[in-house]
Amino acid sequence: RAKADGRGTFCFFRDEMAQTVEARRILELDLRKALANEEFELFYQPLVNLKTGRIATCEALLRWNHPVRGTVSPIDIIPVAEDMGLIVDLGRWILRKACIECMKWPEGVSVAVNFSPQQFHQRDVLSEVRYALEVSGLSAHRLEIEITESSLLRNTQLTHDVLSQLRTIGVKISLDDFGTGYSSLSYLHNFPLQKVKIDRSFLEGIDSDRPLTLLRGVARLSADLGMSVVVEGIETNEQLERISADGTVTEAQGYLFSRPVPAVRIRQLLNASHGRHLSEEQLLAVPS
Ligand code: C2E
Ligand code: MG
Ligand code: MG
Ligand code: MG
């Protein structure tokens, strides 16, 4: 796949470049085997409803337990899987696994699954989703699909159709990492979305004195357009207080509540607490 066919611009590899190419080739080979060898695992991280203090949703986050490298981050897996075209198979596994897992949780808790653009734009995405719901027995309203702005770059009729068909069957669509990409505010009203997840980069500096103006503005706009608003990456009580002060933000996610944890652990957490997770102290900090 390297442009090393002699005629291209890159005739000569430097050593390190050759090493990178080799490392990449090995990674691809390993990835191909990983699905069959059951080396992938899903971790789950709660999204807490700020009104009720209960866990509303748990987001499925991919982990790869590599026999030699140890745990590999999704940031290193997903882009490679996309290049290889493996993302469709991998994404199918993730979706089904997450739906099956959600069936073990209390009724009121949903599961959020990240979709990469390739997965979202695959021709039979709707049947993939329907099938995952069918085999797991999960009702559609307990599934949320997280897409990023890059999935909405193709502002085509097809993209609109897929989104509205998903909504028709009852699946929620959540716009992830809002504020990191092109951040066109027009996405928020042009597409049928039910949730916006404001990226944690919006929290930078709010512990000190930087005003929350931008975050609040985006949150209010989203809420006015009828969407739920989530803020990602809450790590401190102070951040939680600041983002919940005006009541616009509906859910929060971050290390303050829980890091992503293995399926067994999230199940214990959910069943022990019946979905309640905020400490009393934290609950008091949240306006009702
Ligand atoms: P994301 O969907 O925005 O997921 C949130 C990421 O932020 C997770 O990283 C999570 O561990 C991290 N995070 C959560 N709370 C905090 C916090 O308080 N502080 C900090 N510093 N980080 C926090 P993770 O698990 O490494 O995933 C990274 C990204 O990889 C995800 O970002 C998503 O874009 C992608 N990804 C993960 N799993 C999947 C998957 O199953 N499919 C696809 N297509 N992409 C995935
Ligand atoms: Mg996400
Ligand atoms: Mg995110
Ligand atoms: Mg992110």
Side-chain angles (χ1 to χ4, degrees):
R1 67 180 52 232
K3 299 183 182 95
D5 56 7
R7 274 205 237 160
T9 329
F10 308 107
C11 297
F12 304 101
F13 281 110
R14 284 176 290 122
D15 270 1
E16 56 189 87
M17 201 170 159
Q19 267 172 25
T20 312
V21 170
E22 179 60 10
R24 168 69 178 232
R25 203 183 59 83
I26 292 170
L27 182 66
E28 291 191 4
L29 285 172
D30 283 358
L31 263 177
R32 275 193 207 291
K33 287 183 287 186
L35 205 54
N37 292 349
E38 298 179 42
E39 290 167 13
F40 291 115
E41 183 181 358
L42 295 181
F43 274 33
Y44 296 89
Q45 188 185 31
L47 279 71
V48 175
N49 181 306
L50 293 178
K51 289 246 159 67
T52 62
R54 284 167 180 267
I55 298 176
T57 305
C58 294
E59 178 175 7
L61 293 159
L62 184 68
R63 297 293 181 264
W64 180 16
N65 304 311
H66 189 282
V68 178
R69 293 169 204 243
T71 307
V72 186
S73 153
I75 298 169
D76 298 320
I77 308 169
I78 301 292
V80 182
E82 281 178 343
D83 280 2
M84 294 167 62
L86 189 73
I87 194 68
V88 173
D89 287 345
L90 180 55
R92 178 181 301 129
W93 180 86
I94 293 167
L95 177 64
R96 290 183 191 174
K97 183 93 177 163
C99 290
I100 290 166
E101 202 55 45
C102 184
M103 284 296 284
K104 300 171 188 166
W105 303 342
E107 283 270 340
V109 185
S110 303
V111 69
V113 179
N114 292 284
F115 267 42
S116 82
Q118 265 188 53
Q119 202 185 346
F120 181 73
H121 288 293
Q122 65 179 303
R123 236 190 321 126
D124 45 3
V125 60
L126 213 71
S127 12
E128 285 290 345
V129 173
R130 279 215 189 90
Y131 191 74
L133 293 170
E134 206 178 294
V135 291
S136 62
L138 189 72
S139 65
H141 75 271
R142 293 179 71 190
L143 174 64
E144 293 176 11
I145 292 175
E146 295 194 3
I147 57 172
T148 54
E149 291 163 43
S150 50
S151 284
L152 300 179
L153 288 179
R154 295 189 217 169
N155 185 3
T156 58
Q157 190 56 45
L158 196 66
T159 303
H160 281 267
D161 288 349
V162 169
L163 287 172
S164 36
Q165 281 163 339
L166 285 170
R167 182 165 67 174
T168 305
I169 63 172
V171 173
K172 291 194 189 70
I173 305 289
S174 189
L175 186 59
D176 202 358
D177 298 338
F178 189 77
T180 54
Y182 297 84
S183 296
S184 170
L185 290 173
S186 67
Y187 287 152
L188 298 182
H189 75 261
N190 279 344
F191 294 99
L193 306 164
Q194 285 76 54
K195 234 182 208 189
V196 176
K197 295 183 82 176
I198 300 178
D199 193 73
R200 72 187 161 87
S201 57
F202 278 78
L203 294 174
E204 266 164 42
I206 72 159
D207 277 333
S208 53
D209 269 342
R210 186 170 133 184
L212 275 169
T213 320
L214 201 57
L215 191 150
R216 288 214 175 118
V218 173
R220 207 161 287 154
L221 179 73
S222 310
D224 286 349
L225 290 168
M227 287 175 273
S228 314
V229 185
V230 186
V231 177
E232 320 181 287
I234 303 288
E235 294 181 356
T236 67
N237 264 310
E238 188 168 13
Q239 287 175 334
L240 176 63
E241 275 165 39
R242 289 189 181 222
I243 63 131
S244 32
D246 71 350
T248 318
V249 175
T250 35
E251 285 166 39
Q253 176 179 17
Y255 294 169
L256 175 67
F257 306 107
S258 169
R259 289 187 174 251
V261 294
V264 186
R265 181 81 192 89
I266 203 83
R267 223 179 294 148
Q268 288 168 347
L269 206 97
L270 289 168
N271 290 328
S273 62
H274 297 282
R276 187 174 289 278
H277 183 56
L278 273 182
S279 70
E280 213 160 334
E281 188 191 344
Q282 286 167 338
L283 272 171
L284 290 172
V286 176
S288 48

